[in-house]
């Protein structure tokens, strides 16, 4: 009896305030959409990091024929200098950070690589192997430790310059992180709007049924019985919004990322539709939490004794 | 059943008290009129009984409860012991007569079977048998007030509070309502009725408690509206 009564009250309330209820659905849909996007973007960033950073190398360029750097004053790198550099990279504290063995790329190998990848032949015709410089390709166990390796090697005799390939990705990660931040800020603003809208909806609903709630108080209905229908109205509308945004994100990831993006740029691991489902419970929880906050703020005032 | 011990109610600090030193007792089965001009404190008295307001000083006991010690989450249980009837009926316009009365039982969690048994019985008692499916706007004022009384009494509370129940009704209809309240009183229900209606008070010859400026100026066992004090 109680359950059917509450259910019918909720249904009547939603029907009577249908436009407000729809507004709540839409606002939660958009706000949780932004929030979910932010979470998924961060998941993608984490994916990319674990994907790429394990592949990137630190390149220790050795002195070529002509370089005006102080380390290269004595001319091209000598075998003794090269041995000393390798010694630093393979032993001691630095050696522990480096994945062994270190790959040595000679001038000739560098030139061959250039020829192979220079389809127009522009560079390979004007340059010779002697214009290239030998490189030590160093992989790190922890890519974040670049600075330690750079500090240990860049002042050694025979080292021209030390380059971290991670720099190439820095901009990309910066863009992705900024995008996450923007999505998160928009989500926060929209969530605030959602709370205020749910508050207004519950208030309107409570006001439009003041006659009922007055009688309920008069005849000794419990606080729960009086307030529950309003709480449920807000919660149902908000949850509906959350479900919509989950469906929206799922469709976006499924068709845009899994089907299209993954076929365009195959080198990367993308987030999948199942990642959307892993953030889904959190989104529903937030929606219910929002409406609970709104109920707490509103209902005391409009239905209490 | 209702006991006020030196109750004073001041709404705003510094303002004149709405009730002052009121010391009144109603026993089980009493029927009393609460009379007095507008602003004399009748409504405040009823609100204090329902614990919509709390006294500034003094103690109130209703249906065996000390209202000063009653936790706010227990207030609904107090109100289940009190039926309340108002001048403006306060019916739900979109519900039938039956639904209006059943509503009072639904919202305190009564079972379906109990509702199906009690509601028709109560509608018979107030003389509305056969009009269960009417909407409030299809009824006369007197009939609407009977629905309101049925709703207040359907849970068989030991106390019935009536705030100007005949205020919107013509004299003939009012007499019918008073007969009904008298019948309910005879079942052992304590009835406290705030009213302006001289004729009714004079006819009924029941106990009269008169308030003036928040003070009890008369408490007479078989009183009339205002004759003795003029």
């Amino acid at each position: 009896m109680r359950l059917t009564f509450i259910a019918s009250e909720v249904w009547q309330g939603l029907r009577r305030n249908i436009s407000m209820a729809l507004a709540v659905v839409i606002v939660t849909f958009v706000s949780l959409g932004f929030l979910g996007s932010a979470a998924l973007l961060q998941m993608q960033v984490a994916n990319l990091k674990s994907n790429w950073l394990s592949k990137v190398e630190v390149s220790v360029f050795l002195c070529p024929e002509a370089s005006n750097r102080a380390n290269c004053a004595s001319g091209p790198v000598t075998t003794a200098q090269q041995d000393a550099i390798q010694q630093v990279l393979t032993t001691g504290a630095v050696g522990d950070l480096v994945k062994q063995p270190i790959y040595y790329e000679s001038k000739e190998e560098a030139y061959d690589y250039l020829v192979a990848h220079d389809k127009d032949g522009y560079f390979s015709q004007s340059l010779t192997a002697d214009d290239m410089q030998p490189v030590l390709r160093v992989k790190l166990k922890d890519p974040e430790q670049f600075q330690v390796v750079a500090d240990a090697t860049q002042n050694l005799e025979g080292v021209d310059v030390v380059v971290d390939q991670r720099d190439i990705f820095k901009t990309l990660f910066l863009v992705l992180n900024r995008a996450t931040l923007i999505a998160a800020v928009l989500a926060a603003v929209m969530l605030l709007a959602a709370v205020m809208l749910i508050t207004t909806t519950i208030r309107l609903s409570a006001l439009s049924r003041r006659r009922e709630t007055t009688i309920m108080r008069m005849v000794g209905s419990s606080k729960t019985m009086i307030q529950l229908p309003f709480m449920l109205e807000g919660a149902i509308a908000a949850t509906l919004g959350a479900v919509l945004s989950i469906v929206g994100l799922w469709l976006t990831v499924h068709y845009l990322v899994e089907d299209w993006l993954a076929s365009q740029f195959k080198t990367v691991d993308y987030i999948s539709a199942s990642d959307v489902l892993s953030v889904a419970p959190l989104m529903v929880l937030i929606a219910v939490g929002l409406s609970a906050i709104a109920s707490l703020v509103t209902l005391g005032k409009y239905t209490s004794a | 059943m209702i006991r006020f011990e030196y109750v004073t109610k001041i709404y705003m600090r510094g303002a004149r008290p709405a009730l002052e030193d009121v010391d009144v007792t109603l026993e089980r089965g009493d029927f009393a009129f609460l009379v007095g001009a507008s602003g004399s404190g009748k409504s405040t008295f009823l609100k204090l009984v329902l614990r919509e307001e709390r006294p500034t000083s003094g103690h109130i006991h209703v249906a065996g409860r000390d209202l000063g010690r009653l936790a706010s989450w227990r207030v609904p249980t107090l109100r289940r012991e009190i039926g309340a009837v108002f001048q403006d009926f306060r019916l739900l316009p979109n519900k039938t007569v039956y639904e209006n009365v059943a509503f009072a039982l639904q919202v305190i969690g009564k079972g379906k079977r109990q509702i199906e048994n009690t509601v028709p019985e109560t509608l018979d008692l107030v003389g509305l048998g056969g009009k269960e499916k009417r909407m409030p706007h299809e009824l006369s004022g007197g009939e609407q007030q009977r629905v309101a009384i049925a709703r207040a009494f359907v849970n068989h509370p030991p106390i019935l509070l009536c705030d100007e129940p005949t205020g919107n009704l013509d004299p003939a209809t009012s007499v019918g309502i008073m007969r009904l309240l008298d019948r309910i009183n005879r079942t052992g229900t304590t009835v406290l009725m705030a009213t302006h209606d001289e004729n009714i008070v004079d006819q009924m010859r029941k106990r009269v408690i008169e308030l003036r400026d928040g003070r009890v100026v008369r408490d007479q066992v078989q009183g009339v509206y205002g004759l003795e004090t003029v």
Side-chain angles (χ1 to χ4, degrees), chain A residues 37-147:
Chain A
S37 306
L40 290 173
L41 259 173
Q42 271 312 296
M43 285 169 122
Q44 183 63 62
V45 167
N47 258 358
L48 291 180
K49 276 190 175 159
S50 69
N51 241 296
W52 289 348
L53 292 184
S54 63
K55 288 179 189 159
V56 301
E57 300 165 327
V58 173
S59 305
V60 180
F61 287 92
L62 304 176
C63 292
E65 292 292 336
S67 169
N68 41 19
R69 284 181 202 266
N71 288 350
C72 299
S74 55
V77 64
T78 63
T79 318
Q81 282 171 343
Q82 194 182 319
D83 286 346
I85 298 163
Q86 295 230 12
Q87 179 78 16
V88 169
L89 287 171
T90 49
T91 58
V94 177
D96 288 342
L97 297 173
V98 171
K99 276 190 193 163
Q100 308 294 346
I102 293 164
Y103 174 66
Y104 173 73
E105 187 183 300
S106 67
K107 289 192 285 190
E108 289 72 22
E109 281 166 330
Y111 184 72
D112 289 345
Y113 185 85
L114 176 71
V115 171
H117 287 81
D118 182 21
K119 285 179 186 143
D120 299 335
Y122 179 76
F123 289 109
S124 42
Q125 276 168 18
S126 54
L127 296 173
T128 66
D130 279 342
D131 294 316
M132 309 305 288
Q133 60 188 134
V135 191
L136 290 172
R137 304 278 187 197
V138 180
K139 281 200 171 175
L140 298 182
K141 288 173 184 161
D142 174 7
E144 304 289 330
Q145 294 296 329
F146 164 77
Q147 204 53 48

Side-chain angles (χ1 to χ4, degrees), chain B residues 74-129:
Chain B
R74 302 277 299 173
V75 171
T77 64
L78 166 75
R79 295 198 179 140
R80 287 175 201 188
E81 308 274 320
I82 306 171
V85 178
F86 303 93
Q87 183 173 2
D88 55 0
F89 318 141
R90 299 196 186 170
L91 300 179
L92 299 172
N94 52 350
K95 289 190 193 292
T96 64
V97 167
Y98 181 93
E99 286 166 347
N100 262 287
V101 178
F103 185 76
L105 293 177
Q106 284 171 335
V107 300
I108 58 172
K110 294 289 186 203
K112 196 174 180 178
R113 189 175 300 167
Q114 191 182 349
I115 293 173
E116 283 168 356
N117 286 335
T118 332
V119 175
E121 199 180 282
T122 313
L123 285 174
D124 280 342
L125 173 81
V126 301
L128 287 175

Side-chain angles (χ1 to χ4, degrees), chain A residues 213-245:
Chain A
T213 53
T214 311
I215 293 167
M216 287 168 93
R217 281 196 293 114
M218 232 68 255
V219 299
S221 187
S222 67
K223 207 170 162 184
T224 320
M225 194 78 160
I226 298 176
Q227 298 191 345
L228 200 59
F230 301 107
M231 290 181 180
L232 287 177
E233 269 168 49
I236 287 172
T239 308
L240 210 59
V243 169
L244 276 184
S245 66

